[in-house]
Amino acid sequence: MVKEYDEKREEQEKSLKKVHKELAEASQNAAKLEKERNQLHNTLKGAKTAAGRSAASLRLLNESLKNSKQELLDQSEEAARLKRDNAELEFRIQQANEGHKLNVELLLDR
């Protein structure tokens, strides 16, 4: 009976050592996983920050493009107005030249 008891005790000690060894391995694996999780968390946090900066940059760029487009439209409208004004002035100059020619002809005919 003592022999059986000793054998059981030895088996239990072996089992306990095995459990302690498995527990130590599990603890090491948990530490590795925690380290990896922290690295991934930091990477994700950095990516979110970069994405936020990129989104802000895109918003600023989009606003700048809208402003540039509006400025081009304004300049196009101004150019069209100046072209119309120029055509009107050329027409008036032409009429004035024709009037001047008529006056010169009338003066020469006298």
Side-chain angles (χ1 to χ4, degrees), residues 4 10 15 25 32 42 56 58 73-74 76 79 89 103 108:
E4 288 176 12
E10 280 182 33
S15 268
E25 287 174 0
K32 286 179 186 177
N42 290 337
L58 286 175
L73 288 173
D74 292 346
S76 294
L89 289 172
N103 287 337
L108 290 177

Side-chain angles (χ1 to χ4, degrees), residues 11-64:
E11 258 184 59
Q12 287 176 346
E13 285 178 0
K14 285 181 185 178
S15 268
L16 187 59
K17 284 182 183 180
K18 186 178 177 182
V19 167
H20 280 293
K21 183 179 176 182
E22 289 174 356
L23 183 60
E25 287 174 0
S27 178
Q28 287 176 347
N29 287 338
K32 286 179 186 177
L33 289 173
E34 180 66 18
K35 183 178 177 181
E36 287 179 21
R37 186 195 74 77
N38 287 336
Q39 288 173 339
L40 289 173
H41 174 75
N42 290 337
T43 300
L44 179 61
K45 188 176 178 182
K48 284 181 179 178
T49 301
R53 288 181 184 151
S54 293
S57 294
L58 286 175
R59 280 191 297 274
L60 288 173
L61 182 59
N62 192 30
E63 187 64 30
S64 177

Side-chain angles (χ1 to χ4, degrees), residues 88-99:
E88 175 67 25
L89 289 172
E90 286 178 1
F91 178 73
R92 287 183 183 177
I93 289 170
Q94 185 181 6
Q95 284 182 331
N97 282 338
E98 288 174 8

Side-chain angles (χ1 to χ4, degrees), residues 54-110:
S54 293
S57 294
L58 286 175
R59 280 191 297 274
L60 288 173
L61 182 59
N62 192 30
E63 187 64 30
S64 177
L65 287 173
K66 284 180 186 177
N67 291 341
S68 295
K69 182 179 178 182
Q70 185 59 48
E71 188 174 324
L72 284 173
L73 288 173
D74 292 346
Q75 288 176 355
S76 294
E77 290 173 3
E78 180 67 11
R81 185 189 65 76
L82 290 172
K83 191 174 180 180
R84 285 190 307 270
D85 290 352
N86 192 34
E88 175 67 25
L89 289 172
E90 286 178 1
F91 178 73
R92 287 183 183 177
I93 289 170
Q94 185 181 6
Q95 284 182 331
N97 282 338
E98 288 174 8
H100 179 69
K101 284 180 186 178
L102 286 175
N103 287 337
V104 169
E105 287 178 13
L106 286 174
L107 287 174
L108 290 177
D109 285 342
R110 286 186 180 183

